[in-house]
Amino acid sequence: MENPIVQVGHPVLRERARDVTPEQLGTAEFRALLARMTEAMRQAPGVGLAAPQLGVSLRVFVLEDRAELQAALTPVERAERERVPLPLRVFVNPTLKPVGDERVTFFEGCLSVSGYAALVERWREVEVTGLDEAGAPVSWRARGWPARILQHEADHLDGVIYVDRMHPRSFGTLPQVKARFGGLPIAEVKRALGLEVPGVEAGR
Ligand code: CO
């Protein structure tokens, strides 16, 4: 199957997506969009996908982190990232707010910037409120990798891509990043990239 995911450079990825209206929720068209998003995310495979990535400027994203996607990480990497299996969830018109003031930095990539990764600093814990696929209000406090996925996908709804937030000098192709930093504790990765030097580490 041809990759249906819109790649960086397309203007839809830079727009503020529109709110999903109550009339749209529950329509066959909206359910079909959610199905296409879930399918595209699993095909890629990825752990999250926002509607603009299928060319649809609506404030909705899906996330899912299956155990088999985490198998490539070492136990130490999984623990550092607080990466845990996450069942499929849908968030409509979501709002995020940080919980606490801890920030954590790890490599992340994006299905719309295919083949690359970079270090991105994110909140360690966030609370998301919004609606589920049936239009019922939901609120969820997430920590670690699920919190990172939420921040990445919520950014897509505001036309923000991770490259806007990355440490530019950490940007690389996935094979390069894997070869150079795979299995290393994040402190060593940051040291190797000179990110612990005062004035080089980006602020908030
Ligand atoms: Co993305």
Side-chain angles (χ1 to χ4, degrees), residues 47-59:
V47 294
L49 193 85
Q53 294 182 276
L54 289 187
V56 179
S57 186
L58 283 177
R59 301 187 78 77

Side-chain angles (χ1 to χ4, degrees), residues 80-81 105-107 119 184-191 196:
E80 257 198 333
R81 284 158 185 71
T105 302
F106 290 107
F107 277 102
L119 288 176
L184 288 186
I186 196 65
E188 272 182 53
V189 173
K190 290 168 89 173
R191 212 174 298 126
E196 301 291 20

Side-chain angles (χ1 to χ4, degrees), residues 69-83 181-185:
L69 294 178
Q70 303 170 13
L73 296 176
T74 66
V76 170
E77 286 175 315
R78 276 200 294 277
E80 257 198 333
R81 284 158 185 71
E82 302 178 281
R83 193 160 167 186
F181 301 118
L184 288 186

Side-chain angles (χ1 to χ4, degrees), residues 53 109-112 152-153 156:
Q53 294 182 276
C110 177
L111 297 177
S112 293
H152 180 113
E153 301 310 330
H156 274 304

Side-chain angles (χ1 to χ4, degrees), residues 39-143:
E39 168 73 9
M41 171 178 67
R42 287 175 177 167
Q43 280 271 332
V47 294
L49 193 85
Q53 294 182 276
L54 289 187
V56 179
S57 186
L58 283 177
R59 301 187 78 77
V60 53
F61 59 71
V62 295
L63 38 120
E64 179 184 55
D65 198 1
R66 288 169 290 136
E68 62 253 44
L69 294 178
Q70 303 170 13
L73 296 176
T74 66
V76 170
E77 286 175 315
R78 276 200 294 277
E80 257 198 333
R81 284 158 185 71
E82 302 178 281
R83 193 160 167 186
V84 290
L86 186 67
L88 179 67
R89 295 195 70 153
V90 176
F91 289 94
V92 175
N93 299 340
T95 308
L96 252 66
K97 66 167 198 230
V99 176
D101 56 7
E102 271 185 276
R103 307 274 290 175
V104 285
T105 302
F106 290 107
F107 277 102
E108 67 179 63
C110 177
L111 297 177
S112 293
V113 190
S114 188
Y116 297 89
L119 288 176
V120 182
E121 189 185 305
R122 301 278 190 190
W123 298 108
R124 185 181 182 193
E125 189 170 355
V126 296
E127 183 171 4
V128 57
T129 54
L131 304 174
D132 67 11
E133 60 271 42
V138 283
S139 177
W140 181 43
R141 202 179 256 215
R143 186 184 178 87

Side-chain angles (χ1 to χ4, degrees), residues 20 27-39 51 54 56 58 60 62:
V20 177
T27 62
E29 197 185 346
F30 189 70
R31 282 200 304 274
L33 170 65
L34 294 181
R36 283 198 295 129
M37 289 169 62
T38 304
E39 168 73 9
L54 289 187
V56 179
L58 283 177
V60 53
V62 295

